[in-house]
Structures are given as C-alpha cells and as structure tokens.
Amino acid sequence: MHCFYNYIKKVLLLLSVMYLFSAGKVMAQVIHQLPPNQPEQDACNALQLCGNSFNTPYSYVGTGKKIDLNSTPCFSGTGGGEVNSVWLKVNVQTAGSIVFKIMPVNHDDDYDFAVLNATGISCSSLASSDVVRCNFNNNFPGSNVNGVVGLDSLSTFSFVEAGATGGSFCREIAAKQGEVYLIMINNYGNYNSAGPSEGFTIDFSGSTASFNNTIPPKLISIDPPCKNARSIIVRTSTEILCGSIAVDGSDFTSTAPVKIVSAAGINCTNVGGYTNAVVINFSTPLPAGTYLLNAQTGSDGNTLMNLCNNQLQLPDAGIQFTILPAGKEPVDNESICYSQLPYLWNGISVTKASDTAATYTTSSVGGCDSTTILNLKVSPAVQQINLSYTICNGSSYTLPWDSTVNTAGSFVHTYINTNGCDSMIKNITINVIKPNNETIATGFCRDAAVTLNMPNTFTSYLWNTGNTNSSINVNSTGTYTVAATDNYGCITKDTFLVSAYADPVASFTDPSKLCDGNTTSLDAGSGFKNYSWNNGVNTEVLIADKPGKYWVSLTDIHNCTATDTVNVIVVPVPADFLTASITKCFYDDVFVAPSKSFDKYEWSDGSNFKTIKISTGGTYWLTATDANGCIGTDSIAIIDSACAEYLYIPTAFTPNHDARNDVFKPTFAGRLLNYHFMIYDRWGKMIFSTEDFSKGWDGSLNSLEQPPGTYVWICSYELQGRAPRTEKGTVTLIR
C-alpha cells in the first residue's frame, strides 16, 4: 500500500510541475497555482497566523529555495517531508490546546501536514525529530470526509503514516505560553482529475490556546518605472490579504500629477488570497520625477491588512518613488531664489548658480537611459537689517512699512524683488520699559530708623518728602513715595509702607517646672534668626538641669532684639504611692491602686488604668506621671498564702422569727465549686432542696411551718483542689 500511495503522490507531483514547466521553459500559470519558490515555501518565511482561521486559494509547486524537512516520523522515504509545500507559523500567546482542521476547497484534493515545535530552534536547521504531529494519510480515493485532516481532542495518534486511510486526525497539542509551532502543509493535487489543488482553509476553532501577531504591515519599496509608465508596483513588509485591497485604488494617494484609478494584488484571485506586491494603475502616463505614495483608509473602510487583520498604520505610511526619465533631455534651465540653495536636483545638491551646474545621468535603470545638464540661475542673497528701539510703557512706535505698535516684540517685514524672491528682511525689535511701581512694606525697630533705597540706575529721584537722593532715612511710621526717571524718560513710582516693629518675645512661661533629678527643655519659640542664652547656648531650646533664672536674647527677621527671662523651680517626682505588700488567699483576687491620683499610669503588666486586678502573687510595678510631667516608679509585693477549708452544719435551729438562728444551712470556708443540700422528714420525704449556697431552710414546707422534731440532711459539695464529698446528719427543729 505504501508503494502504491507513494506512486500516486509522485504522479500528482509530476502533473503539478508539468503545468508550469515544459521543455525547460516556464509555461502560463495555472489558475490557483502559484509560481515556484514563493517565500512562504521556506520555513524561515512562514506565514504567521493569528485568530481562528486562515484561507489560501493557492496550490504550491515545489519546496521553495531550500528543502527544510526531508522526512517525518510519518514516512522516511522520498516524499516523506516537503513536496508541494507551504509553511505556516503560530506564536502561542496564552497556553492551551491546539486543534485545527485543514479543509480543502475541492474535497478531492489531498493534503498532508507536519507540525514542528520550533521553540528556541533555528528555522534554518529543522529535523524530523522536531516533528510532534504529522499525518500523511491517503485521501485516495476520498478516505477523508470532505478531504479534511487535522488535530482533534478525540484522536490518540501522534503520527499517521503514509498509505493509511481513514486516519484523518492526530491528537491535539497542549501548548505553553511563548511556544512557537511551524505547520508544513503539502498539497498533492486532485486524486480524481490529477489537476492542481484549489487551496484550503485551516480552522483553529476549538483551540483554547491563542495566537497573536500585532506587527502591522508597511510599504517598503516601489519598483522604479520609466517615464510614461501607467502603473507602479509597491511591495509590503509582509503578506497582506487580497480582500483588503480596494479595487478602485482608494487605499493610496500620490503627489504625482495624475490620478490613481485602480489597484490589484499580484497573484490575487477572484476568491481572495494574499500577496506582498500591489499594482497601482494611473489614469494617464506618469511624467518623470520624484513623488510620494501615501496610504489611507480606502473606500472599503480599511487600509491594507496583514493575515492577522493588522492594518497598515496611518499617517506614517508614506514612501518615495521616482519615475525615471525616458529618452534624452539634455538641458534643464532652472531659476531659483537664493534661499532655495542648496538646490536638490535629481538627487544632486547644487550650491551655486552657473551653466552646467550639474549633470544627471542614468544608464539602463529599468530600461531607461537619460542624461540631463542643469543650467541654474540664482537671485542675490537676501539682505538682513536688524534694528532695535526702546519706548516707555504707554508710548508707541510707527513701523516704516505699515502700522504703529505699542507692545514689545520683533516685527519682521520681507521685501520681494521683481523676480519674486526675497531681497531684504527688516527686523525691528521693540523693547517696552514697564515700571515696577511696587508697594514695599518695611519698618524699623524700637529706637532705630530704616533706609528706603532705590536703584542708582535712574537719572533723577523725587520723594514726597522733597528729597532728591536715591535713598532716605526715616524713623517715623507712614507712607513714602518716590518718582524715579530713567535715561529714556520713563518714570517708575514706588511706595514704601513704613511701620514700627514689635520687640521679639519668647514663648516660654514663668516659672518652668524641673522634675527632681531630671532635666527640662526651655523653648524660646521658633521663627527667630538668633538665640543667645546666658550660659552661651545659641539654639532655640536650652536643656536645664538646675533651678534658677535663665534669660535669652532674641533677634527676629527684622533684626530687632529683646531679652526674656524664665524661672526654673524644682518639683518632686511621684514616690511612695503603693503599699509595700498585700497578703491574700492563693485562689482569691485582689484589687490594687495607688494612694494618689496621677495623669498617666503604666503597670508592669501593660495596664494603663489606675486600678488593676491581681490573681497571682509576685512583685508589680507602677510608673506614674503627674500633672508636672514628672515620672516616678513604686512597687508592691502580692503574697499568696494558704486558706482555711471547713464545713460546719449546726445540730439545731429555732425558726421563731426572732432574727436569731431562724435558718438552717451549712457554713463553708474555701472556694466552693459544686453544692447540693437536701432535708428529709422522718418518713423519708424530701422537704427542702437547693444548689444555692446562700439559701437555707426556714422550717416550712409550702409556707406551712413544720412540727418540731428531728430531720435528716444530706450535703454534697466540692471545694477547689479537693475531691467531691457527701456528708449526712440530723438537725433538731425547736419552736
């Protein structure tokens, strides 16, 4: 079966090649069939896919410029690798399963495939060991349903060998994020007609992995045509969808002086496909020259789109092209203005005027020959005149060409000669002096004066006091004004508001409290320039450790000085505020508090309350802070001692309501945990029962007094740390 299958495939391959070649000459291209050596027939130029589906209407001939895969695990002999192949590529963006169906346009077409994990592998050195799935299943005669082959989640086969029939699917691929897979697809033609294949769709629906390719296509070059050509060929950086090309050419605009009328992709068919070359047709022949071709959104609502529907980006999608001169045009007479130098002529930078200023020759470029001599005339250089004028605020200046201005700035006028070139540029800069007219607040310290100053850049001064100097000394509060005139005659009017500054005052209070044995901070207050204490300290805060008077000399921001004094007195720290010790029963709690009240409390157990409950013996410390901020510490010893334990039950009681011995109940010493007390009459009837230690029997039953006599009691109880006990006895009721 293998031999027969390989023979059939070889026949189909031979028939496909015969469609293109005959006696060593290239024949006309068969519909749907691409010429040999397409870039995507080599693994390194694989078509990158994204989304869920890709369609190609083409049949491929040969293996490209290089056989990338000689054999596969599905067949190691001739035809076990690439035959009539195309390469596809997917970059895994999110992990998941990969399944696909290769669905022929014509169900009689036979397609084989191999999937390679090319992660981290050079596309130029692939091997059969890189193949993770392959299917060389035989579709002759129609063993695959509708010719479909691929990967699915039901198959258990990694490889389907050549010659098999009915094994249309291999098992799915569990892909990881960042992995790269290459898919090589062979087309063996139509098993029924022996003609070439008519293309296929590869559908990834059902895959949970996703693929991406966000790189947009670009216009990269234009084949240079000769003058009088009516079309150009623009090439793209990657394959684009034929269906994204607007047939009316509206995807493009050009600076050429002729209209674009249509566009079509090379190798595109009436059922779609892809291409990397677009023919753009113009309404009339193109004249020689250099133009720009720009992309835009066409009448079909898009620009050019690659296989992943990424559009060619706008507006940076332009490309320059040159229509080469055809025939000889020996002389080009040009006249330009001096500002146009250097003059770019046919790619040559011309820097001065002359006959034969440059010669441009092309030889056999695109079949065009052209030689042209440039005769260049250049108008004289522009004369630049720069002038500057200064005016006072509110004044104006009349420009010599058209108007009057009263604001600062540069005003430019260009004079044009009879040739239409700029001959003179006059630039007049207007400077406007705007007086500050400031209002300045100042003052003087007690028993001092202040100097009011104006800059000495003015030519004259007049104060409201009548003084004409640039500065005056004043020792009275009030408002002082001066009018100063500069050398342009502009007047600045400043106002000085003079006040008397208050003497600086320290912010501390008198007296200041010094905790005995500690230090205290004397803060003179912030905002002063200088501090000078009587002990030589020059900081805002003085740390005092002794009682007495301290003074400080202060200098404020106005350089006014004053002295202030603070009296430091010693106050005692808290002490002896806890009892030395307390003795308690070991199972009892005791509440402890200081003998005095303070502002803050901090016990050794972390409590901050005045009173704490202590259950366990030991030494406890209290740190107390009083109203002066002084801190003292005292301790108390809690001593646990043994506790009395006993049960006492009287032998008689007299319930005669004289408030003496009226109730019969036990007396305990110790911590009682469980308790039950019951009383029976002489016939064994229970007449009293309680589990409440505080309650006893008053000698009655249901509010009826019981007769005198002897009664039996039973008491069940448990003291902390002791075993449960039950005791019995009698009691005499006496009335």
Side-chain angles (χ1 to χ4, degrees), residues 360-680:
Y360 175 70
T361 303
T362 59
S363 178
S364 299
V365 176
C368 309
D369 294 328
S370 177
T371 300
T372 304
I373 296 173
L374 173 65
N375 294 332
L376 184 64
K377 293 181 180 181
V378 181
S379 295
V382 178
Q383 181 184 4
Q384 178 82 30
I385 299 176
N386 297 314
L387 301 174
S388 179
Y389 296 97
T390 301
I391 62 175
C392 298
N393 189 46
S395 300
S396 61
Y397 175 79
T398 301
L399 298 173
W401 52 82
D402 59 3
S403 60
T404 299
V405 297
N406 58 8
T407 58
S410 293
F411 302 89
V412 180
H413 184 69
T414 301
Y415 296 88
I416 301 175
N417 62 19
T418 56
N419 295 327
C421 296
D422 297 344
S423 61
M424 182 175 70
I425 298 175
K426 184 176 285 189
N427 179 28
I428 297 179
T429 301
I430 302 298
N431 302 306
V432 178
I433 296 179
K434 295 183 178 181
N436 291 330
N437 293 337
E438 294 182 317
T439 298
I440 303 167
T442 185
F444 53 85
C445 302
R446 176 172 47 86
D447 300 328
V450 64
T451 299
L452 308 181
N453 288 305
M454 287 291 289
N456 58 8
T457 56
F458 295 94
T459 58
S460 65
Y461 307 86
L462 180 60
W463 295 84
N464 62 339
T465 62
N467 196 301
T468 57
N469 296 323
S470 61
S471 63
I472 61 173
N473 290 325
V474 298
N475 57 8
S476 299
T477 61
T479 302
Y480 297 84
T481 61
V482 60
T485 305
D486 62 17
N487 55 358
Y488 294 102
C490 303
I491 298 175
T492 295
K493 294 182 179 180
D494 284 352
T495 301
F496 294 84
L497 304 178
V498 179
S499 60
Y501 298 133
D503 290 340
V505 178
S507 61
F508 47 66
T509 58
D510 188 23
S512 180
K513 306 293 179 62
L514 172 64
C515 299
D516 190 15
N518 295 318
T519 62
T520 186
S521 297
L522 304 180
D523 191 339
S526 60
F528 298 105
K529 290 174 58 178
N530 295 306
Y531 303 84
S532 180
W533 295 85
N534 59 324
N535 62 353
V537 174
N538 295 312
T539 59
E540 175 186 337
V541 179
L542 172 69
I543 306 301
D545 59 357
K546 298 177 182 178
K549 287 185 178 292
Y550 293 82
W551 57 261
V552 61
S553 177
L554 305 172
T555 303
D556 65 12
I557 58 174
H558 305 299
N559 290 320
C560 299
T561 60
T563 301
D564 207 348
T565 304
V566 62
N567 186 35
V568 176
I569 62 174
V570 176
V571 295
V573 299
D576 300 327
F577 45 80
L578 290 178
T579 302
S581 65
I582 294 177
T583 301
K584 70 178 184 67
C585 180
F586 73 92
Y587 53 72
D588 284 340
D589 298 329
V590 65
F591 291 88
V592 178
S595 60
K596 304 173 184 178
S597 294
F598 300 99
D599 283 4
K600 294 181 181 179
Y601 306 89
E602 185 175 349
W603 290 89
S604 53
D605 66 351
S607 173
N608 298 115
F609 298 102
K610 180 178 180 179
T611 302
I612 62 172
K613 182 175 75 172
I614 298 176
S615 302
T616 305
T619 300
Y620 294 81
W621 297 83
L622 172 61
T623 299
T625 304
D626 64 15
N628 296 317
C630 297
I631 300 173
T633 301
D634 201 0
S635 64
I636 183 172
I638 305 300
I639 302 171
D640 283 335
S641 68
C643 304
E645 295 179 335
Y646 62 84
L647 169 68
Y648 169 73
I649 300 179
T651 58
F653 75 113
T654 58
N656 53 10
H657 309 293
D658 61 355
R660 297 189 313 173
N661 201 22
D662 284 337
V663 177
F664 172 59
K665 67 175 183 177
T667 300
F668 286 89
R671 180 168 291 181
L672 187 63
L673 300 181
N674 295 305
Y675 173 74
H676 191 190
F677 186 57
M678 297 167 288
I679 299 176
Y680 299 85

Side-chain angles (χ1 to χ4, degrees), residues 16 89 132 170 173 185 297 299 306 327 340 355 401 407 489 554 581 603 661-662 679 693:
S16 298
K89 176 181 179 182
V132 295
C170 297
I173 293 174
I185 301 177
T297 300
S299 60
N306 67 9
Q340 294 175 271
D355 291 339
W401 52 82
T407 58
L554 305 172
S581 65
W603 290 89
N661 201 22
D662 284 337
I679 299 176
F693 172 73

Side-chain angles (χ1 to χ4, degrees), residues 125-431:
S125 57
L126 302 175
S128 177
S129 58
D130 300 323
V131 176
V132 295
R133 301 287 186 277
C134 64
N135 190 332
F136 277 54
N137 171 67
N138 187 1
N139 192 39
F140 180 78
S143 66
N144 301 323
V145 177
N146 294 329
V148 176
V149 294
L151 307 179
D152 67 13
S153 60
L154 301 178
S155 175
T156 59
F157 302 107
S158 295
F159 311 116
V160 178
E161 296 182 353
T165 57
S168 305
F169 289 88
C170 297
R171 63 187 175 92
E172 65 183 9
I173 293 174
K176 299 178 180 178
Q177 182 180 12
E179 288 185 333
V180 178
Y181 289 88
L182 292 173
I183 305 173
M184 185 276 295
I185 301 177
N186 287 337
N187 63 279
Y188 284 91
N190 188 293
Y191 70 79
N192 192 18
S193 66
S197 301
E198 296 180 24
F200 65 90
T201 295
I202 182 168
D203 186 353
F204 291 92
S205 296
S207 296
T208 59
S210 64
F211 324 122
N212 73 326
N213 175 18
T214 60
I215 301 175
K218 297 180 180 179
L219 305 182
I220 58 172
S221 65
I222 295 177
D223 297 347
C226 300
K227 178 181 178 181
N228 295 325
R230 299 188 67 161
S231 63
I232 60 175
I233 299 176
V234 59
R235 301 191 181 273
T236 58
S237 59
T238 185
E239 288 77 13
I240 61 172
L241 294 172
C242 293
S244 70
I245 305 170
V247 295
D248 60 359
S250 57
D251 289 322
F252 306 94
T253 62
S254 171
T255 58
V258 292
K259 181 181 179 181
I260 296 174
V261 294
S262 65
I266 294 178
N267 290 331
C268 287
T269 72
N270 59 355
V271 292
Y274 58 86
T275 183
N276 64 355
V278 181
V279 178
I280 300 174
N281 301 308
F282 294 84
S283 59
T284 58
L286 290 160
T290 298
Y291 309 103
L292 283 177
L293 179 72
N294 291 301
Q296 64 179 7
T297 300
S299 60
D300 54 357
N302 55 258
T303 63
L304 304 182
M305 297 190 298
N306 67 9
L307 304 185
C308 291
N309 293 320
N310 296 316
Q311 295 197 44
L312 190 131
Q313 297 297 295
L314 301 176
D316 299 324
I319 187 171
Q320 182 174 290
F321 68 99
T322 300
I323 303 299
L324 303 176
K328 301 207 175 191
E329 300 173 1
V331 178
D332 185 5
N333 296 313
E334 300 277 356
S335 294
I336 64 171
C337 299
Y338 187 84
S339 60
Q340 294 175 271
L341 290 177
Y343 180 59
L344 187 64
W345 180 77
N346 290 324
I348 302 171
S349 180
V350 182
T351 60
K352 63 181 180 178
S354 71
D355 291 339
T356 66
T359 300
Y360 175 70
T361 303
T362 59
S363 178
S364 299
V365 176
C368 309
D369 294 328
S370 177
T371 300
T372 304
I373 296 173
L374 173 65
N375 294 332
L376 184 64
K377 293 181 180 181
V378 181
S379 295
V382 178
Q383 181 184 4
Q384 178 82 30
I385 299 176
N386 297 314
L387 301 174
S388 179
Y389 296 97
T390 301
I391 62 175
C392 298
N393 189 46
S395 300
S396 61
Y397 175 79
T398 301
L399 298 173
W401 52 82
D402 59 3
S403 60
T404 299
V405 297
N406 58 8
T407 58
S410 293
F411 302 89
V412 180
H413 184 69
T414 301
Y415 296 88
I416 301 175
N417 62 19
T418 56
N419 295 327
C421 296
D422 297 344
S423 61
M424 182 175 70
I425 298 175
K426 184 176 285 189
N427 179 28
I428 297 179
T429 301
I430 302 298
N431 302 306

